[in-house]
Amino acid sequence: MADILDTLAGITRLVKNTQLNHQDATSVVLQREVSSPAHEVWDACTEAKNIQQWFLPVTGDLSVGGHYALEGNASGEVLDCHTGRGFRVSWVMGNGPDSELEFTVTPTSIDHALVELRHTATVDPEMMGTYGPGAVGVGWDAALLGLYQYLRGVPTGPAHQPPPAVLNPFMAASSEAWADAAIANGASPEAARESAKRTTAFYTGTDDAGTS
């Protein structure tokens, strides 16, 4: 358990107020340096056969203007791509809010790279008040864990999920880390901690509400 909890400490988390499609929106930003060359990180995140190894099976056209679908999860359109450096896609989950995902990878040395993931959404204020940025941030922490393990050659993906005794403390620690990020963005500490508790309950299966 210590190993996957340690991965949380390597992630920088930011919460930013912004605009999306001329509407007020919130961005959750995750940054992590990985001990892999940038080209390996890029291949892991843009080749369908690799994405399914650490995230989810993906189908569709992954070129600009194409539409993709992640099995049992989001779908959308590839909006922009700079090969080897970054891409931007729309991110649609059911009847959820307008949302975009932006991914960049920047070499920091021959065999290290900085990964940044930015998810921007027009979140309903009530939903944000209930769960805070952890509603999506915890899921992306878990995704970065999968990527990190994949790049290290550790089996990952849906078929290799840690047991609840290991995964639940990870979710709880991630929720608290996103509360810290919310507080740094101006949220009330008391409200942020309460939101973190509800987010943990959702991700660990003890809350019947959804994040939509």
Side-chain angles (χ1 to χ4, degrees):
M1 182 174 72
D3 183 52
I4 71 167
L5 288 179
D6 287 346
T7 67
L8 289 172
I11 300 173
T12 298
R13 298 168 190 81
L14 302 170
V15 178
K16 297 187 176 183
N17 302 321
T18 185
Q19 292 271 310
L20 179 65
N21 299 330
H22 307 293
Q23 298 183 64
D24 290 340
T26 301
S27 291
V28 297
V29 184
L30 300 87
Q31 299 169 334
R32 182 190 175 92
E33 185 165 12
V34 295
S35 53
S36 298
H39 70 88
E40 289 186 5
V41 180
W42 180 257
D43 288 347
C45 297
T46 58
E47 296 289 338
K49 62 182 177 60
N50 296 332
I51 295 170
Q52 69 178 0
Q53 296 298 315
W54 62 271
F55 193 37
L56 290 167
V58 60
T59 56
D61 180 359
L62 301 185
S63 61
V64 175
H67 290 79
Y68 72 92
L70 290 159
E71 186 175 290
N73 200 278
S75 61
E77 180 183 354
V78 180
L79 302 173
D80 197 12
C81 180
H82 299 279
T83 302
R85 292 184 291 150
F87 62 80
R88 182 170 59 93
V89 300
S90 61
W91 187 268
V92 181
M93 292 191 67
N95 296 319
D98 288 349
S99 175
E100 286 187 1
L101 179 70
E102 186 172 2
F103 170 88
T104 59
V105 56
T106 305
T108 55
S109 69
I110 293 175
D111 55 1
H112 285 71
L114 179 66
V115 174
E116 179 175 295
L117 188 153
R118 180 183 300 259
H119 190 167
T120 302
T122 54
V123 184
D124 177 74
E126 182 177 352
M127 182 65 69
M128 178 60 77
T130 300
Y131 292 103
V136 294
V138 172
W140 289 121
D141 273 341
L144 281 188
L145 170 64
L147 174 61
Y148 176 74
Q149 299 285 58
Y150 172 82
L151 292 169
R152 295 169 64 203
V154 177
T156 184
H160 300 279
Q161 284 288 317
V166 174
L167 193 58
N168 287 354
F170 175 91
M171 297 299 187
S174 173
S175 295
E176 287 300 321
W178 281 106
D180 291 339
I183 293 167
N185 189 52
S188 155
E190 182 178 359
R193 297 301 174 200
E194 288 301 315
S195 294
K197 291 178 183 178
R198 288 187 286 267
T199 297
T200 296
F202 171 75
Y203 275 99
T204 56
T206 58
D207 180 11
D208 292 331
T211 57
S212 71

